[in-house]
Every structure is written in C-alpha cells, then in structure tokens.
Amino acid sequence: NSILRVEEIQKLDGTPVTIYTPVVMPEVLATGSTNVEFFGIPSWATQITVMLRAVSSTGVNNFRVQLGNSNGWITSGYNSMSQRGEGGVSAAQTNCFIIAVPTASDIFRGQMVITRMSDDSITTYVETGGFMRSTSTASECYGDFNADSIPTIDRVRVTTSGTSTFGTGRIGVRYA
C-alpha cells in the first residue's frame, strides 16, 4: 500500500496552486415545470456539467441551457448546434445552448459539459454534450459563448422551448 501526499503544488514561477473539490448540487425533479434553475456557482468554477436523468418533454420542443449572473439570464450571444446522432433533425440557436428534442416521447439521459476558457482579455464558455434518447440514437450538442464583456457566470438553467413542460426526469449540476 502506498499513499500519495502532496504538501504544496506550485506553478513554475513559484506561486501556489489552489485545488478545488468538485461539487455536485442537489438534483431537481423537473416533471411539470418549464425550467430548472441552479444558483451559487462560484467564480472559480471553470467547468459546469448539466446532467439529465430520464428527462422528457410534453411536446416536440427543444431543451435550452442558459447561463446567468447577477444581472439575470443571458439570452443572446450563443453559437450552439444540436442534432440527432444519425443526422437528420438538427437545431441551431443564439439564445442558449440547445439540445434537440425531435419527438415528445424521447427520454434523455446524459450530460452537457460547459468549460470556461480565459486569457487576459477574452473569456469563452465552450460546450459539448451527448444524450442517449429512448426512441432512437443519441442527441449531440456543441457550441460556445463569448463572455468577455459580462460579469462572472454564477447560475445555469435548463428550460423547455415553446409551451411544453418537462414530462419526466431529474436535472443535476456539477461544477469544478
């Protein structure tokens, strides 16, 4: 048996490195609602993972994932695309990260990972996701959001588009 013990981690310039423990927020029952919101994501978080567990829609309306901060929900500036794994049905959006829902009977299981990239002047959130669908192949999604002129992201929400509600399922968020 061996134990790895780290006393201190430093960058090449000698400054200490802070290591944060990933946090899984309590999952929320989505059934019957039009949106599920998660608040309190800290400024140090560089990755937000949105997880769907057996989530469906009552209609043929896509799922939307939106970022937010103290100024409210951000509903523009995204560059997002989603499509069925076998091709065919696809959706593109500029008001959210989109998850294409081609049929009302689909039940989605999977996750979307949103990662912050930054340098001294530009902050961008890049997303990619994959979801198993109960009626067919996967639903894939990808995109980015340029956040260099807005306050720090501290919240995320998952909504349905149109007039649908979530038919079933639970939604969770993890940040690190």
Side-chain angles (χ1 to χ4, degrees):
N1 292 348
S2 30
I3 297 174
L4 175 63
R5 185 176 183 168
V6 178
E7 295 293 327
E8 185 176 322
I9 299 175
Q10 295 180 348
K11 296 180 185 176
L12 291 176
D13 66 3
T15 58
V17 173
T18 303
I19 298 175
Y20 296 101
T21 302
V23 175
V24 178
M25 301 176 93
E27 61 182 31
V28 175
L29 179 63
T31 306
S33 63
T34 58
N35 65 70
V36 174
E37 301 174 343
F38 296 88
F39 296 88
I41 297 170
S43 60
W44 54 259
T46 58
Q47 190 174 79
I48 302 167
T49 303
V50 177
M51 300 166 285
L52 303 184
R53 181 163 57 120
V55 175
S56 68
S57 174
T58 58
V60 184
N61 294 120
N62 298 321
F63 298 146
R64 300 182 298 181
V65 176
Q66 293 176 318
L67 305 174
N69 55 38
S70 58
N71 294 331
W73 296 107
I74 301 165
T75 59
S76 64
Y78 298 83
N79 180 23
S80 180
M81 175 74 154
S82 180
Q83 67 183 28
R84 289 196 320 206
E86 74 275 14
V89 175
S90 66
Q93 280 295 333
T94 59
N95 67 353
C96 64
F97 291 132
I98 189 83
I99 303 169
V101 179
T103 68
S105 58
D106 275 335
I107 296 175
F108 283 69
R109 292 174 172 87
Q111 66 183 15
M112 174 187 285
V113 179
I114 304 166
T115 305
R116 184 179 75 208
M117 304 171 24
S118 350
D119 62 19
D120 292 336
S121 61
I122 299 172
T123 299
T124 300
Y125 287 85
V126 176
E127 65 93 4
T128 185
F131 299 90
M132 178 181 85
R133 293 175 36 230
S134 60
T135 60
S136 187
T137 62
S139 183
E140 302 163 349
C141 50
Y142 28 84
D144 67 4
F145 171 74
N146 185 351
D148 59 332
S149 62
I150 64 167
T152 302
I153 299 301
D154 67 359
R155 60 197 72 179
V156 64
R157 75 174 170 184
V158 182
T159 70
T160 58
S161 59
T163 59
S164 296
T165 61
F166 292 112
T168 61
R170 299 179 87 68
I171 300 174
V173 165
R174 174 190 181 272
Y175 60 83

